[in-house]
Amino acid sequence: MNKRKFVKLKKVFIENRGMIMIGFLYFVYLIVDYFNVPSIFFNIKNINTSFNNNIVTMLIFMMTYLLINKKNIEKNSQDIQQKNNQREIALATFVDICKECKDIINIIRTFDNKQFAAVNNNETILKYYTDYPFKYSDIMYSFAQNGIITKDEYSQFMVIQRSYKGYITPKIVNYNNKNLKCNESDELICDALLYLIDNIIKAYE
């Protein structure tokens, strides 16, 4: 028997050791009872049928219980693993959103008036810069609804979404309007947003 088969058999034995032990003890009991071993020391009948039937009933009940309990444990383990996998996917999605926000903000901050004008004249590109990082907003909401991410984590996502759009949209659309374009305080708010994004990436990546 090679090592792999031995390890597999050992695993099966460990997983079912409760039922194997019960079956073994009952087999020993039948041998002892059939050959009337106790009669060597005590004056008893060969087989106590009533007691034997009770033992059989009890053992069947115990084996059934162990089997059901094992299945429940396996199911709970699978549910926990599935929940962990879903959470990892949710956090990975959140991190990707943060990275995309950061990349676009850093790109927009390098634009000159000519580049801003080009974006404003192309609705597809404009929509990309304003909405693309949040293409999975519905999925993030579903993660929160199902308890895969916490309320605080979803609140962080919402803060990033509002702050990002509150900065990017006027930055692009009002680039040539002195009264409406982003000022120094808006840039400071954006710096705070980038700081939050960096901390989220570090925490969840």
Side-chain angles (χ1 to χ4, degrees):
M1 182 182 297
N2 58 40
K3 187 175 179 181
R4 184 177 296 179
K5 287 183 179 180
F6 176 76
V7 171
K8 187 175 181 181
L9 285 174
K10 183 179 178 182
K11 183 180 178 182
V12 172
F13 176 79
I14 292 172
E15 289 177 350
N16 298 279
R17 60 186 179 275
M19 287 185 289
I20 292 172
M21 184 59 67
I22 290 172
F24 174 74
L25 291 174
Y26 181 61
F27 175 76
V28 171
Y29 163 76
L30 286 178
I31 296 297
V32 171
D33 197 24
Y34 179 78
F35 290 104
N36 200 17
V37 174
S39 65
I40 299 172
F41 308 99
F42 306 99
N43 186 19
I44 58 176
K45 295 181 179 180
N46 280 0
I47 298 179
N48 188 334
T49 307
S50 177
F51 179 71
N52 185 55
N53 289 339
N54 290 337
I55 287 290
V56 171
T57 303
M58 184 179 70
L59 288 175
I60 290 174
F61 171 78
M62 289 178 67
M63 293 178 72
T64 303
Y65 170 79
L66 288 172
L67 184 61
I68 293 173
N69 190 51
K70 179 187 173 185
K71 293 294 183 183
N72 287 337
I73 291 172
E74 289 175 351
K75 184 178 183 302
N76 290 338
S77 178
Q78 289 173 355
D79 290 343
I80 291 171
Q81 184 61 46
Q82 184 179 18
K83 191 86 170 179
N84 289 339
N85 291 343
Q86 289 175 335
R87 178 161 175 78
E88 287 179 6
I89 292 170
L91 295 180
T93 303
F94 194 10
V95 168
D96 283 345
I97 289 170
C98 289
K99 287 181 176 179
E100 287 169 356
C101 288
K102 182 179 179 179
D103 290 344
I104 291 176
I105 288 172
N106 288 333
I107 290 171
I108 290 296
R109 280 181 152 182
T110 66
F111 276 11
D112 56 25
N113 284 354
K114 184 178 180 181
Q115 289 170 307
F116 279 125
V119 172
N120 271 292
N121 291 330
N122 190 318
E123 187 175 345
T124 301
I125 297 177
L126 177 61
K127 189 172 180 62
Y128 169 83
Y129 283 123
T130 56
D131 297 335
Y132 180 75
F134 304 99
K135 57 187 178 295
Y136 297 126
S137 293
D138 291 342
I139 295 176
M140 291 297 293
Y141 178 72
S142 176
F143 286 145
Q145 265 194 327
N146 294 317
I148 297 168
I149 59 174
T150 66
K151 182 180 177 181
D152 288 342
E153 288 164 347
Y154 187 69
S155 295
Q156 289 174 342
F157 166 75
M158 294 299 294
V159 166
I160 289 172
Q161 186 177 42
R162 286 194 300 268
S163 301
Y164 174 88
K165 291 193 173 187
Y167 173 79
I168 288 293
T169 303
K171 181 79 171 176
I172 296 174
V173 175
N174 303 322
Y175 76 96
N176 206 27
N177 188 322
K178 293 182 180 180
N179 296 322
L180 297 176
K181 69 179 183 179
C182 289
N183 53 36
E184 187 175 343
S185 63
D186 293 320
E187 294 299 331
L188 290 174
I189 292 172
C190 184
D191 287 337
L193 171 60
L194 289 174
Y195 179 76
L196 173 61
I197 286 173
D198 284 337
N199 281 312
I200 289 173
I201 293 173
K202 288 177 183 176
Y204 299 139
E205 192 171 32

